[in-house]
Amino acid sequence: MTDSLTIRDNRTGEEHEIEIVDGTIRAADLKKVGGLATYDPGFVNTASCRSAVTFIDGDEGILEYRGYPIEQLAEHSTFLEVSYLLLNGELPTSDQLGQWTHDVTHHTFLHENIKGLMTGFRYDAHPMGMLMSSVSALSTFYPDASDIADPANRYLQTTRMIAKMPTIGAFAYRHSQGKPYVYPDNELSYCANFLSMLFKMSEPTYAADERLVKALEVLFILHADHEQNCSTNAVRSVGSSQVDPYSAVAAGIGALYGPLHGGANEAVLKMLRRIGSTDNIPGFIAGVKEGKEKLMGFGHRVYKNYDPRAKIIKKACDDVFEVTGINPLLEIALELEKIALEDEYFVSRKLYPNVDFYSGLIYEALQFPPEMFTVLFAIGRTPGWLAQWQELVVDKEQKIARPKQIYTGHRTRDFVPMGQR
Ligand code: CMC
């Protein structure tokens, strides 16, 4: 064997040969080395699956969906076309795209009882909590979704979920505003309809500025997938129990809610607002270097170079600000980035702006409150979650996710009666 690893176990003096395939060894093969296991909190160097959906080269700053560079997709494609690509592996023909667009458009409405469920939330409920609960509730409206072995059924549920996410997201937003929920307008494109459900008041048709619609398309495309990130791992992990896709995606939404993942852009805006002026940047950076806090929107587990999505978003900022006027926080963000990119602390740790550093500024310019930022991320990420879930469901190598542990607690102790503790 040439593609192999020889391990000498110094406890016993025994040597073991382990096969290397695709730059990995099978963790299960380590068992024969005296029952050895790997310890990898956060899965920093563990492949959990084989996937043909998304390729990332973190050192070079490359991101490709099904082999197509993100830059080309952001420039030439639409979110629904990219969703088709992620789910099916190939770009659609004109007929295929027509059918897909038709199918998604005709599933945008929600059962009235989902609306009823949403109106029951408190007036100040976080829209991510509302989104997570409503998506999970969809599993009770479509109990047939549990038949995950049937490809036609998977297609139906996938279409439903991509169609209904903007409706739920928009209802959650209107709820926080105390405004009536706006039903979908199926004459509009996916993104134009979303903006209509968010912002329409008494006008018969809400006509969003085309440049803003395009910016939203780009933002959704950039967020559509990112291989085995925290929320996708959650979807796969929960999906590995063979539960229905609504429950699996609800778990992904929960993971995305956290400030180290999808919640980071909300945290970036709060941070920029707190810094308040470029004069305060040196003091803030000094605090970060002393470990008092993190520079939110910087750093990435995979990218050790400028996040390619951040470059595209930075450009989209210009287009959006042309319509909405410049967000005053942009000046602070640009100066912060300039200083951080020259600072030894960030350079030596390869900390560059990630997708969240600029996305919040655009979202704010589009009039979204910070609580909605992660909802936008979730809508964009839905086709990626579902593409990964589909891949998992048909992958014969996959098993129910069940990591090992290193047990650090007590062993067999006798129960102590209450009076003797
Ligand atoms: N500000 C300051 N220091 C940082 C930062 C940051 N944003 N990120 C990492 N570091 C430091 C960290 O303290 C550590 O330093 P040391 O070696 O001295 O202990 C070193 O850099 C390596 O960091 P790490 O925590 O081991 O890296 P990780 O891969 O576990 O974490 C991360 C990745 C994204 C969670 C982290 O960089 C972070 O918390 N960034 C801020 C939150 C953020 O912007 N998240 C959005 C990620 S992109 C969108 C998404 O995919 O959800």
Side-chain angles (χ1 to χ4, degrees):
M1 229 191 286
T2 46
D3 276 356
S4 69
L5 182 74
T6 301
I7 298 180
R8 186 184 147 82
D9 186 344
N10 292 327
R11 298 169 301 179
T12 59
E14 281 175 20
E15 284 199 350
H16 303 267
E17 194 169 11
I18 292 181
E19 197 183 6
I20 299 176
V21 180
D22 296 329
T24 60
I25 58 166
R26 290 198 167 247
D29 285 351
L30 285 175
K31 269 191 190 164
K32 65 183 180 195
V33 186
L36 214 57
T38 56
Y39 176 56
D40 190 6
F43 301 125
V44 291
N45 196 28
T46 296
S48 63
C49 60
R50 292 172 180 281
S51 180
V53 181
T54 290
F55 173 83
I56 300 177
D57 182 330
D59 293 328
E60 296 296 325
I62 295 172
L63 170 61
E64 295 171 358
Y65 297 158
R66 302 286 189 183
Y68 293 99
I70 191 67
E71 293 80 5
Q72 292 185 27
L73 293 169
E75 193 175 342
H76 302 297
S77 193
T78 62
F79 177 63
L80 276 191
E81 188 178 41
V82 167
S83 304
Y84 183 100
L85 171 69
L86 286 168
L87 290 162
N88 299 286
E90 297 298 336
L91 286 168
T93 62
S94 166
D95 284 353
Q96 287 167 332
L97 183 60
Q99 183 65 48
W100 169 238
T101 305
H102 173 274
D103 291 351
V104 171
T105 306
H106 286 82
H107 283 289
T108 50
F109 277 74
L110 294 171
H111 191 291
E112 280 294 292
N113 289 1
I114 284 278
K115 186 181 145 196
L117 179 109
M118 295 185 75
T119 56
F121 280 92
R122 241 173 70 149
Y123 70 97
D124 58 352
H126 196 291
M128 272 303 268
M130 292 180 72
L131 184 74
M132 180 165 41
S133 316
S134 306
V135 168
S136 140
L138 286 179
S139 71
T140 67
F141 288 80
Y142 307 111
D144 50 327
S146 60
D147 184 9
I148 61 168
D150 174 14
N153 188 31
R154 287 202 298 268
Y155 177 80
L156 175 61
Q157 311 310 336
T158 299
T159 312
R160 273 187 181 139
M161 217 171 323
I162 291 173
K164 293 182 197 307
M165 287 294 268
T167 315
I168 299 176
F171 280 15
Y173 170 73
R174 300 287 292 206
H175 184 85
S176 67
Q177 302 269 307
K179 290 180 182 155
Y181 298 180
V182 176
Y183 287 110
D185 180 344
N186 286 347
E187 298 302 313
L188 299 175
S189 71
Y190 190 87
C191 289
N193 172 46
F194 180 48
L195 290 172
S196 162
M197 291 188 290
L198 289 162
F199 301 125
K200 184 169 176 295
M201 290 308 290
S202 56
E203 62 275 45
T205 302
Y206 181 83
D209 188 297
E210 273 309 312
R211 289 167 293 182
L212 300 185
V213 175
K214 172 68 187 158
L216 201 55
E217 292 274 1
V218 170
L219 285 159
F220 282 166
I221 290 171
L222 296 184
H223 286 92
D225 195 49
H226 214 232
E227 52 120 304
Q228 306 314 312
N229 56 89
C230 178
S231 57
T232 301
N233 182 61
V235 171
R236 278 184 173 264
S237 185
V238 171
S240 76
S241 72
Q242 301 191 349
V243 74
D244 69 88
Y246 298 103
S247 303
V249 167
I253 297 173
L256 191 68
Y257 197 174
L260 295 189
H261 191 7
N265 50 16
E266 185 177 342
V268 170
L269 262 233
K270 285 185 181 149
M271 174 189 79
L272 293 176
R273 209 159 273 136
R274 196 158 39 85
I275 295 173
S277 124
T278 49
D279 297 343
N280 299 331
I281 292 178
F284 171 79
I285 293 273
V288 170
K289 287 159 68 173
E290 283 163 28
K292 287 190 189 146
E293 61 182 307
K294 279 187 169 170
L295 171 51
M296 298 310 283
F298 258 66
H300 200 275
R301 173 62 61 75
V302 180
Y303 294 120
K304 302 303 169 197
N305 199 327
Y306 211 103
D307 182 337
R309 302 168 299 174
K311 270 190 204 146
I312 300 169
I313 289 197
K314 209 172 162 186
K315 197 168 149 280
C317 273
D318 298 339
D319 302 340
V320 169
F321 294 158
E322 202 183 288
V323 185
T324 63
I326 285 196
N327 186 328
L329 295 176
L330 179 68
E331 196 198 349
I332 301 174
L334 288 171
E335 186 62 17
L336 200 54
E337 176 187 331
K338 190 164 152 266
I339 291 176
L341 289 180
E342 287 165 1
D343 190 298
E344 211 280 320
Y345 175 94
F346 297 92
V347 174
S348 64
R349 288 171 178 76
K350 298 191 174 160
L351 299 171
Y352 292 88
N354 61 47
V355 68
D356 288 320
F357 193 66
Y358 287 106
S359 62
L361 291 173
I362 298 195
Y363 292 150
E364 190 170 75
L366 292 172
Q367 292 176 33
F368 290 106
E371 305 77 59
M372 275 298 285
F373 294 176
T374 322
V375 171
L376 298 166
F377 193 155
I379 296 171
R381 184 53 57 87
T382 301
W385 285 331
L386 291 167
Q388 302 269 350
W389 169 76
Q390 282 191 163
E391 198 173 52
L392 164 99
V393 168
V394 297
D395 184 349
K396 299 258 181 300
E397 278 195 326
Q398 284 298 321
K399 290 176 179 301
I400 185 164
R402 205 301 184 190
K404 286 178 94 76
Q405 64 168 7
I406 300 172
Y407 180 66
T408 60
H410 294 285
R411 287 301 314 277
T412 329
R413 301 199 277 177
D414 283 329
F415 182 78
V416 183
M418 185 65 78
Q420 294 171 26
R421 288 177 213 166

